[in-house]
């Protein structure tokens, strides 16, 4: 039982014993900083039943706790607020229990499974900064749910077909001259992305030419020679034309090889990858099923719709009059497939907030179809990432490419580390690994520390500061603690085994208190799908340790029991920082 639970139980017993008033719920709140204590119990609500003034109630409960339990060392009453200070013996016991727990940071199995679908790239362009926020969110939420005791399946749906894919294919056919990733020295996804941008520029030029010839803009945008060719290419692909399909396969293979490099670089992997080219025809059976159940209705032109007006979602087309699918049709079929492949209780989609309406419609339809899994669906919606220079647009080639950004971050980490003189050998393999670790720590932490729903601006320089609310600050603190533990080991100080009771400073109490919050923070982050909670927690731990480190002597402490306690405390903090950052997908260095 944690400290808060013990204290609540003790207060309930005190009230019952002193005033013969049974209490079902005891509410504690953090003590205000201007008063001494950790937890505060408000006595005002008891005045009616006890017919006693709030100060007298507080004094009586505080005295009872001090005389009948070992949980508090002292108390003070300010008006109707009973402020309680936890006894040092409790903190020592808590730290001992943390160090003795081999599964620290892992909650028991819930015997429930969940699928997290994220990344969802298109094969017409490389991953960009927006994809990084998506990948880091999906990966971190998967790790957090696993720590919460769920079996987790990480899935990715690749958008590998459609008109936008054909744009890159046509541009390559028209302008590519047979170049390959090998002949150009470019990653495959970058090469194909180049042709997507190329198509857009050429298409815009043709629009202007048609307008100059007297065609209205709206018509010109639909009738450029390039766009007509792209539409013909898509028809050929759907009919299985061998030459078109061969080009599609070759270009996609180049892209997948490029994606694999980026995923490896950012430490992200998947248990299952779905391809839209294999699932886009699914869903028509779902529509037929829905027509028989009167969930959908057919209009005179043959198109199929659903009326979701009573849910504030209007009418929605689910099948065109010519019998072809729309995007929601594909998603209905793919969702059925996912739940057939994996017996999960929950499905989470990590997708940007521009798709909020789409997922509201998808989930509403699945509920009306009576799918048994329909109540376990969740859209983890997140805001876009801007740069100080503004919004990104992939068609115009103004996006921040993920690979370029990672390279820039590594270079920034290298320069910043050299400026600060953090390591001795700047060119070793170990140093190269450290630069990458710091770069990824800066990037992931900056994108994950913000509430997912918020639109944000990414500032590369700010993200890699060793002193601010950043990943490198926490990574540096971890390395500092590892250094303390190495020196302690050299001095023969072993933090293992039982700890003797010592008088604790406020900074020591605060650190143990923060450690006892670990499971609660993991649970809250899992409940709300919010890695930002753990980002904040890691920062609080690092900041509190630095305060402790600055105020108290550790290795030169003359009292052997205090020395052992502080080394043991350092060990528990370093392990908790490491596990917390791991839940964010961030590695931490042991030395810098």
């Amino acid at each position: 039982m944690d400290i808060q639970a013990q204290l609540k139980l003790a207060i309930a017993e005190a009230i019952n014993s002193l005033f013969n008033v049974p209490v079902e719920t005891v509410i504690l709140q953090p003590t205000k900083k201007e008063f001494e204590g950790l937890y505060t119990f408000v006595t005002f609500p008891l005045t009616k039943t006890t017919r006693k003034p709030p100060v007298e109630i507080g004094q009586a409960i505080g005295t009872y706790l001090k005389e009948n339990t070992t949980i508090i060392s002292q108390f003070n009453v300010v008006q109707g607020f009973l402020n309680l200070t936890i006894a040092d013996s409790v903190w020592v016991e808590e730290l001992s229990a943390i160090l003795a727990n081999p599964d620290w940071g892992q909650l028991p199995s819930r015997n429930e499974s969940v699928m997290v679908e994220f990344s969802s790239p298109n094969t017409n362009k490389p991953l960009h900064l927006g994809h990084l926020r998506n990948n880091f969110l999906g990966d971190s939420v998967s790790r957090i749910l696993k720590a919460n005791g769920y079996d987790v399946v990480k899935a990715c749906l690749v958008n590998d077909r459609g008109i936008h894919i054909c744009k890159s294919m046509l541009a390559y056919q028209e302008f590519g001259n047979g170049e390959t990733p090998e002949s150009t020295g470019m990653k495959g996804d970058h090469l194909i992305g180049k042709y997507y941008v190329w198509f857009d520029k050429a298409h815009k030029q043709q629009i202007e030419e048609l307008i100059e010839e007297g065609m209205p803009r709206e018509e010109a945008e639909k009738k450029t020679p390039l766009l007509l060719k792209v539409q013909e290419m898509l028809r050929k692909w759907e009919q299985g034309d061998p030459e078109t399909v061969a080009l599609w396969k070759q270009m996609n293979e180049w892209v997948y090889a490029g994606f694999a490099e980026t995923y490896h670089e950012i430490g992200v992997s998947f248990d299952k990858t779905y391809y839209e080219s294999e699932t886009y025809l699914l869903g028509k059976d779902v529509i037929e099923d829905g027509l028989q159940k009167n969930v959908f209705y057919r209009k005179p032109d043959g198109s199929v719709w659903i009326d979701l007006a009573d849910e504030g979602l209007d009418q929605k087309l689910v099948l065109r009059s010519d019998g072809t699918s729309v995007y929601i049709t594909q998603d209905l079929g793919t969702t059925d497939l996912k739940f057939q492949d994996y017996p999960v209780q929950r499905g989470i989609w990590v997708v940007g907030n521009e798709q909020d309406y789409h997922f509201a419609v998808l989930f509403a339809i699945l509920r009306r179809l009576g799918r048994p899994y329909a109540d376990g669906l969740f859209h983890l919606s997140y805001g876009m990432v801007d740069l100080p220079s503004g919004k990104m647009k992939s068609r115009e080639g103004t996006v921040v490419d993920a690979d370029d950004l990672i390279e820039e971050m590594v270079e920034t980490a290298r320069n910043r580390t050299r400026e600060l003189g953090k390591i001795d050998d700047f060119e070793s393999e170990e140093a190269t690994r450290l630069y990458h670790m710091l770069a990824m720590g800066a990037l992931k932490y900056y994108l994950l520390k913000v509430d997912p729903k918020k639109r944000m601006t990414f500032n590369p320089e700010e993200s890699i500061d060793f002193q601010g609310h950043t990943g490198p600050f926490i990574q540096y603190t971890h390395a500092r603690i590892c250094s303390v533990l190495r020196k302690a080991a050299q001095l023969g100080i072993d933090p293992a085994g039982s700890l003797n009771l010592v008088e604790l400073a406020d900074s020591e109490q605060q650190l143990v208190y923060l450690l006892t919050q670990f499971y609660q923070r993991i649970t809250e982050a899992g409940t709300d799908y919010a890695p930002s909670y753990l980002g904040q927690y890691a920062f609080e731990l690092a900041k509190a340790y630095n305060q402790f480190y600055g105020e108290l002597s550790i290795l030169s402490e003359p009292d052997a029991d205090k020395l052992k306690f502080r080394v043991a405390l350092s060990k528990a903090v370093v392990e908790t920082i490491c596990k917390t950052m791991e839940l964010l997908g961030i590695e931490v260095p042991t030395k810098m």
Side-chain angles (χ1 to χ4, degrees):
M1 193 186 298
D2 66 27
I3 295 168
Q4 227 183 119
Q6 289 178 55
L7 193 52
K8 285 179 180 180
L9 190 62
I11 291 170
E13 285 173 3
I15 295 167
N16 194 22
S17 176
L18 291 165
F19 309 114
N20 198 24
V21 175
V23 180
E24 285 185 18
T25 307
V26 171
I27 297 170
L28 293 173
Q29 57 192 43
T31 303
K32 290 183 178 176
K33 288 184 178 173
E34 58 265 35
F35 303 114
E36 197 170 336
L38 181 67
Y39 293 112
T40 295
F41 175 67
V42 182
T43 63
F44 293 112
L46 292 170
T47 54
K48 194 174 179 182
T49 50
T50 63
R51 295 183 179 176
K52 294 184 184 298
V55 173
E56 188 181 323
I57 297 168
Q59 286 289 350
I61 295 171
T63 303
Y64 181 95
L65 292 174
K66 202 157 180 206
E67 289 176 355
N68 294 278
T69 75
T70 57
I71 198 166
I72 72 160
S73 58
Q74 56 193 37
F75 70 92
N76 64 84
V77 181
V78 180
Q79 296 174 332
F81 299 94
L82 170 60
N83 304 317
L84 301 159
T85 300
I86 304 299
D88 287 342
S89 58
V90 175
W91 298 126
V92 174
E93 284 168 19
E94 286 290 327
L95 181 60
S96 296
I98 289 166
L99 290 166
N101 183 356
D103 298 318
W104 179 239
Q106 177 61 53
L107 286 142
S109 172
R110 295 171 184 259
N111 294 316
E112 279 185 52
S113 50
V114 57
M115 177 180 282
V116 183
E117 182 188 295
F118 62 102
S119 196
S120 307
N122 297 333
T123 58
N124 62 333
K125 56 191 173 189
L127 301 177
H128 56 61
L129 177 54
H131 287 118
L132 289 180
R133 189 177 198 189
N134 181 303
N135 276 282
F136 298 159
L137 264 175
D139 180 61
S140 180
V141 165
S142 300
R143 291 167 186 261
I144 290 165
L145 289 171
K146 198 170 179 183
N148 273 281
Y150 293 97
D151 296 320
V152 178
V153 179
K154 295 182 291 179
C156 176
L157 175 64
V158 178
N159 189 337
D160 65 340
R161 64 163 290 281
I163 196 83
H164 53 295
I165 307 298
C166 289
K167 287 176 181 178
S168 294
M169 289 167 61
L170 182 74
Y172 179 79
Q173 211 174 45
E174 298 268 325
F175 315 115
N177 299 318
E179 67 179 16
T180 67
E182 290 75 25
S183 70
T184 59
M186 290 176 77
K187 277 177 81 232
D189 50 338
H190 287 233
L191 180 66
I192 305 312
K194 179 178 86 170
Y195 287 104
Y196 184 61
V197 173
W198 202 327
F199 176 91
D200 188 63
K201 287 177 181 172
H203 173 55
K204 281 177 177 170
Q205 191 177 331
Q206 288 188 352
I207 290 170
E208 295 308 318
E209 287 167 2
L210 290 175
I211 290 169
E212 280 177 22
E213 290 169 14
M215 189 179 285
R217 177 172 289 277
E218 199 174 324
E219 189 181 346
E221 286 173 352
K222 295 175 184 173
K223 289 193 174 175
T224 65
L226 277 174
L227 189 61
L228 295 174
K229 281 184 181 178
V230 161
Q231 289 166 344
E232 176 59 26
M233 181 176 268
L234 181 59
R235 278 191 289 275
K236 282 184 174 179
W237 182 89
E238 289 182 351
Q239 290 159 5
D241 173 64
E243 189 182 334
T244 306
V245 170
L247 176 65
W248 171 78
K249 281 183 177 174
Q250 176 62 80
M251 291 178 71
N252 275 352
E253 278 172 21
W254 290 340
V255 171
Y256 296 142
F259 284 170
E261 280 184 51
T262 307
Y263 285 135
H264 179 264
E265 198 76 2
I266 64 175
V268 166
S269 63
F270 303 96
D271 302 308
K272 174 69 176 178
T273 301
Y274 291 96
Y275 298 92
E276 204 174 286
S277 57
E278 296 170 3
T279 65
Y280 81 104
L281 294 175
L282 299 174
K284 292 189 180 182
D285 291 343
V286 179
I287 304 303
E288 194 54 48
D289 174 45
L291 281 167
Q292 288 175 15
K293 291 178 178 176
N294 293 319
V295 171
F296 304 124
Y297 65 93
R298 201 181 289 277
K299 285 191 174 182
D301 67 354
S303 60
V304 181
W305 295 70
I306 186 169
D307 187 354
L308 297 169
D310 59 345
E311 296 190 41
L313 296 169
D314 305 321
Q315 296 183 344
K316 178 70 181 173
L317 174 72
V318 294
L319 202 66
R320 294 190 187 97
S321 55
D322 61 3
T324 56
S325 300
V326 289
Y327 207 80
I328 200 86
T329 327
Q330 298 174 40
D331 264 7
L332 288 165
T334 306
T335 305
D336 264 1
L337 176 65
K338 284 161 60 178
F339 278 87
Q340 286 162 20
D341 287 348
Y342 294 93
V344 296
Q345 283 75 45
R346 268 196 280 169
I348 298 166
W349 283 259
V350 183
V351 181
N353 57 12
E354 74 277 10
Q355 295 292 331
D356 285 354
Y357 180 80
H358 174 83
F359 280 99
V361 169
L362 175 66
F363 298 165
I365 292 174
L366 290 165
R367 282 194 300 273
R368 293 203 181 185
L369 287 167
R371 291 297 188 262
Y373 57 74
D375 289 331
L377 307 180
F378 184 77
H379 172 209
L380 178 47
S381 172
Y382 63 90
M384 296 295 99
V385 185
D386 298 321
L387 289 159
S389 57
K391 192 177 178 182
M392 301 186 295
K393 295 176 185 172
S394 55
R395 283 193 306 278
E396 295 168 16
T398 59
V399 299
V400 178
D401 177 84
D403 297 313
D404 291 346
L405 180 60
I406 292 164
E407 198 176 307
E408 181 191 319
M409 293 295 292
V410 170
E411 186 60 31
T412 305
R414 181 185 288 113
N415 294 338
R416 194 65 63 83
T417 308
R418 285 176 169 177
E419 283 167 21
L420 298 170
K422 295 288 184 192
I423 55 174
D424 300 324
D425 185 355
F426 293 110
E427 302 304 331
S428 67
E429 193 177 317
E430 189 181 4
T432 303
R433 187 167 180 275
L434 175 66
Y435 301 143
H436 183 266
M437 201 185 292
L438 291 172
M440 292 312 305
L443 189 52
K444 288 187 181 186
Y445 190 85
Y446 201 94
L447 293 178
L448 289 174
K449 73 177 181 179
V450 178
D451 181 327
K453 297 180 194 70
K454 289 182 180 173
R455 187 170 191 142
M456 66 176 295
T457 300
F458 176 70
N459 186 323
E461 281 294 321
E462 195 180 276
S463 74
I464 210 152
D465 188 351
F466 282 91
Q467 296 302 320
H469 184 182
T470 65
F473 167 71
I474 300 163
Q475 289 173 311
Y476 179 59
T477 301
H478 182 272
R480 165 181 270 178
I481 306 171
C482 287
S483 173
V484 169
L485 293 172
R486 278 194 299 274
K487 288 172 185 171
Q490 288 163 6
L491 295 169
I493 303 159
D494 183 5
S498 61
L499 299 170
N500 293 330
L501 178 59
V502 290
E503 186 182 340
L504 301 180
D506 287 347
S507 58
E508 291 172 300
Q509 290 180 359
Q510 180 60 24
L511 264 181
V512 184
Y513 167 68
L514 272 175
L515 291 171
T516 65
Q517 295 279 295
F518 191 29
Y519 281 111
Q520 183 185 331
R521 301 295 186 98
I522 291 172
T523 303
E524 289 168 352
T527 301
D528 294 348
Y529 308 124
S532 56
Y533 295 179
L534 290 173
Q536 179 61 31
Y537 178 64
F539 177 64
E540 286 172 28
L541 259 182
K543 203 164 66 163
Y545 186 86
N546 282 312
Q547 186 176 342
F548 155 76
Y549 183 86
E551 287 178 4
L552 300 172
S553 166
I554 301 176
L555 299 178
S556 55
E557 168 57 53
D559 183 309
D561 289 338
K562 284 187 176 181
L563 171 58
K564 182 172 180 176
F565 179 87
R566 287 172 191 172
V567 173
L569 180 55
S570 298
K571 186 173 189 291
V573 171
V574 86
E575 287 176 2
T576 307
I577 287 177
C578 181
K579 287 173 189 287
T580 306
M581 294 293 268
E582 200 175 288
L583 293 174
L584 300 175
I586 298 173
E587 287 185 275
V588 281
T590 55
K591 60 179 182 176
M592 282 177 66

